[in-house]
Amino acid sequence: MAFLRLGSKSEIFHREGHTWVCTSGLPSDICINIGEMSFNLHKFPLLSRSGLLEKLIEEYSNGEGSSLNLRLDDIPGGAKAFELISKFCYGVRMELTAYNIVSVRCAAEYLRMTEDYGDGNLVMQAEAFLNEVLGNWSDSVRALEACEEVMPQAEELHIVSRCIESLATKASADPSLFSTTSWGRETRPSPEDSGLWNGISTATKTQHTGEDWWYQDVSFLSLPLYKRLILAIESRGLRPETIAASVVHYARRYLPLMNRQSSFDDVNSTVTNMPNTCEADQRALLEEIVGLLPNKKGVASTKFLIRLLRTAMVLHTSPSCRENLEMRVGAQLDQASLLDLLIPNMGYSETLYDVDCVQRILDHFMLVQQAAALATPPGIAEEGQIIKGSPDSLTPITMVATLIDGFLAEVASDVNFKLPKFEALAATIPDYARPVDDGLYHAIDVYMKTHHWIADGEREQLCRLMNCQKLSLEASTHAAQNERLPLRVIVQVIFFEQLRLRTSISGWFFVSDNLENSQNQINSAAAQQQRDNGGDDDVKQRVSELEKDCSSMKEEIQKLMKTKRSWRNFTRRLGFNRKSNSCCPKGSKASKLRAVAPSSGNRQQNCEKIEVVPPETVKVN
């Protein structure tokens, strides 16, 4: 930390209670009162350095030799600053640092300690040292913090703006281009780099600096100063991700609710025990933090934004603040997890979790997706289709569909969860966004199990949300035996499973022909390659390997041809024709289904009488 020593005389001041006494040997002829403190001094050293004190002494002095009492309650920095100024006037040794330079500079300006009252007066020396402080990062932070005590005077002298300008310039610069010592930053060795060997420290490494090196330092600033600093840094073109990371760090420091997963008990106890003044301060702080976050998508994690939204609900922030957070979460909903969406209900709704909030977030996500689809050039992605990518990749809307299905399954067990809200939330996701409807089927099943009193018509309406053709084998097996489902849905599930089985078996009949064609192509390719590169040992070896593969494939074909009759007998037992419907001539008739209405007996026995027919011929009594 930078410092400046002034004066050469030894200490002549000592304190007695609330009084400072000068022990120079001469009796005091002036007493200056500042708050509770009193300074028993001499007129000449003061008026020779201060224009204000010279004026006051002339105005209020009653005569030579008389003692004078003055009050200077308005002096910036108060008694602490005037103590240093008194030592400067007497030439006593004193030290200026980044902690006291602002108050001393403001007090010197207030007392008019300019060059008109002696060369090298305090205004000039304090200004020169302040410029040195502003060249150092850590000292600039300390000076900016010290401005809080003398804010009006510091603003008038432009000290605040100069500190912010200095910090913003350094924070937006590349730290690799500067040494840490030139900025005055304190580098703390990491625990793994420090140690003792025979009582001697072996810490020689210095920590590398990244983009977050300044977050901790500026987090000690008050909100108004921090806000001005962030806006100044942003105006210099610093990456929005870096600015958002600093804001997140600041929010976690001053918003206690951000550091824990809120539950219903925590919410109730926090609202009850939090004082009104504290709650108001927290509310104002949160709204300012939301305003400081850059508008760019993805600069803050979805988990942090949802945690911020929960805290905003607890603190009852303005509707515009909550709407802003919901829009931010909706823009990147595909990055959220199921646990993030389980937001405790703070309103008057009867549901355990805030379903309405999730619905608003989902609606905004769909608006963003629609806008992105309109901006996509034709030919890149067709309407109603998912953009193709790697097999393991998922598009955002598919990920959100899985997320919402999981959320529905979680909240479906709430007896107060109304059917229209369930249907609205499930129907917001388009059908093409669900490659498999297992998650939606699970949510519907949980809802019907919990809300067992709903009518048959409502069950039918609920089941229309899912597509029976998009159920997996496990889900179809479960649905075929699920007594909570309407009979029409069970019949559809069984029909599509039989249709899927027929398609799979029919595909086996084309395997032998495909294998024979593959064998001929491999043999011709090997022969051609041998003719083109005859005599080459490497080519001969590759041809030999291809011939071995062809021989093994031929053996597999022969085995398959032997078992072909067994496959045909197997398909006859299942009720299939010799060929699939797709291969039948136009005059042939498709197989029909006779659905027998279930009696009051066992439903499983009745299902055995169901034959395969197209779905449009199914009739339910």
Side-chain angles (χ1 to χ4, degrees):
M1 183 174 65
F3 61 91
L4 175 65
R5 289 192 177 96
L6 298 176
S8 58
K9 296 181 181 179
S10 58
E11 183 65 61
I12 59 174
F13 291 93
H14 71 277
R15 181 173 175 177
E16 298 176 357
H18 294 285
T19 304
W20 282 95
V21 179
C22 177
T23 58
S24 61
L26 297 175
S28 174
D29 57 1
I30 185 172
C31 179
I32 297 179
N33 302 285
I34 302 174
E36 296 180 352
M37 298 299 299
S38 298
F39 293 83
N40 294 327
L41 306 174
H42 303 87
K43 297 178 183 178
F44 180 76
L46 300 179
L47 60 86
S48 63
R49 286 292 189 175
S50 171
L52 177 64
L53 291 178
E54 181 187 33
K55 177 183 177 182
L56 293 176
I57 290 173
E58 290 178 356
E59 289 181 358
Y60 296 100
S61 180
N62 296 326
E64 222 173 297
S66 63
S67 180
L68 179 65
N69 281 284
L70 296 176
R71 293 204 66 88
L72 295 177
D73 293 328
D74 295 334
I75 184 172
K80 291 183 179 180
F82 189 76
E83 176 189 348
L84 296 174
I85 289 175
S86 300
K87 292 182 179 181
F88 175 80
C89 293
Y90 280 84
V92 176
R93 286 192 297 267
M94 58 169 291
E95 190 173 273
L96 296 179
T97 65
Y99 291 108
N100 59 30
I101 182 58
V102 176
S103 59
V104 169
R105 173 67 181 88
C106 294
E109 187 72 23
Y110 174 82
L111 295 173
R112 301 206 300 270
M113 302 178 70
T114 62
E115 295 300 295
D116 296 336
Y117 298 90
D119 295 337
N121 210 345
L122 189 55
V123 169
M124 185 197 71
Q125 298 208 43
E127 186 65 28
F129 180 66
L130 182 59
N131 291 331
E132 181 181 348
V133 166
L134 295 180
N136 183 292
W137 167 266
S138 58
D139 287 341
S140 298
V141 174
R142 296 185 182 102
L144 185 57
E145 288 182 277
C147 290
E148 291 281 356
E149 300 178 359
V150 290
M151 184 58 70
Q153 294 80 11
E155 288 281 11
E156 184 178 352
L157 296 176
H158 306 289
I159 298 176
V160 177
S161 58
R162 290 162 62 188
C163 291
I164 291 176
E165 185 78 14
S166 172
L167 294 174
T169 302
K170 293 177 176 60
S172 57
D174 186 358
S176 62
L177 301 179
F178 303 89
S179 64
T180 57
T181 55
S182 65
W183 283 356
R185 293 178 51 216
E186 297 178 359
T187 56
R188 298 183 178 89
S190 57
E192 58 270 17
D193 294 336
S194 61
L196 290 177
W197 182 78
N198 286 343
I200 302 175
S201 175
T202 60
T204 57
K205 298 181 180 180
T206 57
Q207 285 186 308
H208 297 284
T209 57
E211 292 183 345
D212 61 343
W213 62 267
W214 53 276
Y215 297 171
Q216 181 71 16
D217 292 337
V218 301
S219 66
F220 291 95
L221 298 175
S222 64
L223 179 61
L225 292 178
Y226 177 79
K227 181 179 179 180
R228 290 176 60 178
L229 176 61
I230 290 297
L231 294 177
I233 294 174
E234 188 176 13
S235 66
R236 282 164 174 75
L238 193 64
R239 294 173 60 248
E241 292 80 3
T242 305
I243 295 176
S246 175
V247 175
V248 170
H249 184 88
Y250 192 86
R252 294 188 183 279
R253 181 179 182 86
Y254 293 103
L255 292 174
L257 289 177
M258 292 294 299
N259 300 322
R260 60 183 178 183
Q261 185 74 24
S262 61
S263 63
F264 299 100
D265 295 336
D266 291 338
V267 169
N268 295 331
S269 61
T270 302
V271 174
T272 304
N273 298 329
M274 183 180 296
N276 293 332
T277 55
C278 181
E279 182 180 353
D281 294 341
Q282 292 275 292
R283 179 165 52 248
L285 174 62
L286 190 147
E287 292 177 353
E288 290 288 349
I289 286 174
V290 173
L292 287 177
L293 285 173
N295 291 324
K296 183 180 178 181
K297 174 185 174 182
V299 294
S301 66
T302 307
K303 182 181 291 294
F304 169 78
L305 292 175
I306 294 179
R307 192 72 65 85
L308 205 60
L309 178 59
R310 292 184 178 187
T311 308
M313 292 177 176
V314 174
L315 297 175
H316 304 289
T317 58
S318 63
S320 60
C321 176
R322 281 174 283 179
E323 183 180 359
N324 187 350
L325 288 172
E326 289 174 357
M327 293 176 63
R328 289 176 182 269
V329 174
Q332 53 193 61
L333 183 58
D334 54 296
Q335 302 174 14
S337 64
L338 176 59
L339 186 61
D340 296 332
L341 289 186
L342 299 179
I343 304 174
N345 203 333
M346 310 294 174
Y348 297 101
S349 179
E350 297 178 352
T351 54
L352 191 65
Y353 297 106
D354 199 335
V355 180
D356 295 333
C357 178
V358 175
Q359 180 70 65
R360 292 192 297 269
I361 292 173
L362 180 59
D363 290 339
H364 184 72
F365 172 81
M366 295 306 302
L367 290 176
V368 173
Q369 291 298 309
Q370 292 173 6
L374 293 175
T376 304
I380 295 181
E382 298 180 0
E383 183 178 359
Q385 292 182 349
I386 301 177
I387 300 175
K388 295 182 179 180
S390 60
D392 297 331
S393 65
L394 293 175
T395 60
I397 194 168
T398 305
M399 299 171 65
V400 170
T402 304
L403 179 66
I404 294 300
D405 290 346
F407 176 78
L408 287 171
E410 185 70 25
V411 300
S413 57
D414 190 345
V415 294
N416 296 318
F417 190 19
K418 304 301 181 183
L419 181 61
K421 290 188 176 183
F422 185 99
E423 292 176 336
L425 196 57
T428 305
I429 302 295
D431 182 68
Y432 69 86
R434 291 188 176 99
V436 181
D437 273 15
D438 288 9
L440 182 57
Y441 165 69
H442 175 59
I444 292 174
D445 183 50
V446 173
Y447 189 87
M448 289 192 299
K449 183 178 180 180
T450 304
H451 303 75
H452 52 82
W453 57 83
I454 61 177
D456 294 340
E458 293 176 327
R459 292 176 184 269
E460 291 273 356
Q461 183 179 351
L462 189 60
C463 291
R464 290 194 189 100
L465 295 171
M466 67 177 179
N467 189 347
C468 296
Q469 299 184 64
K470 295 165 68 174
L471 294 179
S472 65
L473 179 60
E474 293 79 6
S476 297
T477 303
H478 184 276
Q481 302 175 5
N482 193 345
E483 296 182 354
R484 289 184 288 272
L485 295 177
L487 180 60
R488 181 188 63 82
V489 177
I490 296 178
V491 171
Q492 283 187 352
V493 170
I494 296 175
F495 168 76
F496 287 123
E497 274 306 303
Q498 290 188 358
L499 188 62
R500 189 183 306 174
L501 180 61
R502 175 189 292 181
T503 304
S504 300
I505 295 175
S506 299
W508 280 94
F509 296 146
F510 300 97
V511 172
S512 60
D513 296 336
N514 292 335
L515 290 176
E516 290 176 1
N517 293 335
S518 300
Q519 180 187 11
N520 295 333
Q521 292 176 4
I522 293 173
N523 290 335
S524 61
Q528 180 66 31
Q529 188 171 6
Q530 188 175 11
R531 288 193 300 269
D532 294 342
N533 303 306
D536 191 276
D537 295 338
D538 185 51
V539 173
K540 289 181 180 179
Q541 183 178 359
R542 294 174 62 185
V543 171
S544 176
E545 292 176 356
L546 289 172
E547 289 177 349
K548 291 179 181 180
D549 293 340
C550 290
S551 299
S552 61
M553 293 176 66
K554 187 175 181 180
E555 293 177 0
E556 294 294 334
I557 292 171
Q558 292 174 354
K559 292 180 181 179
L560 182 62
M561 295 301 294
K562 291 179 181 180
T563 58
K564 191 171 183 181
R565 175 169 296 180
S566 300
W567 277 107
R568 290 174 179 173
N569 293 335
F570 175 69
T571 56
R572 288 194 188 100
R573 294 192 190 98
L574 293 177
F576 292 101
N577 291 334
R578 193 170 183 81
K579 294 184 179 181
S580 63
N581 289 339
S582 60
C583 301
C584 292
K586 293 182 179 180
S588 62
K589 296 182 179 179
S591 58
K592 298 182 178 179
L593 168 70
R594 304 292 182 184
V596 181
S599 63
S600 58
N602 191 350
R603 178 181 291 182
Q604 184 175 0
Q605 295 176 0
N606 293 330
C607 291
E608 295 176 356
K609 300 179 182 181
I610 297 175
E611 301 177 4
V612 179
V613 297
E616 61 270 8
T617 61
V618 177
K619 296 182 179 179
V620 181
N621 293 333

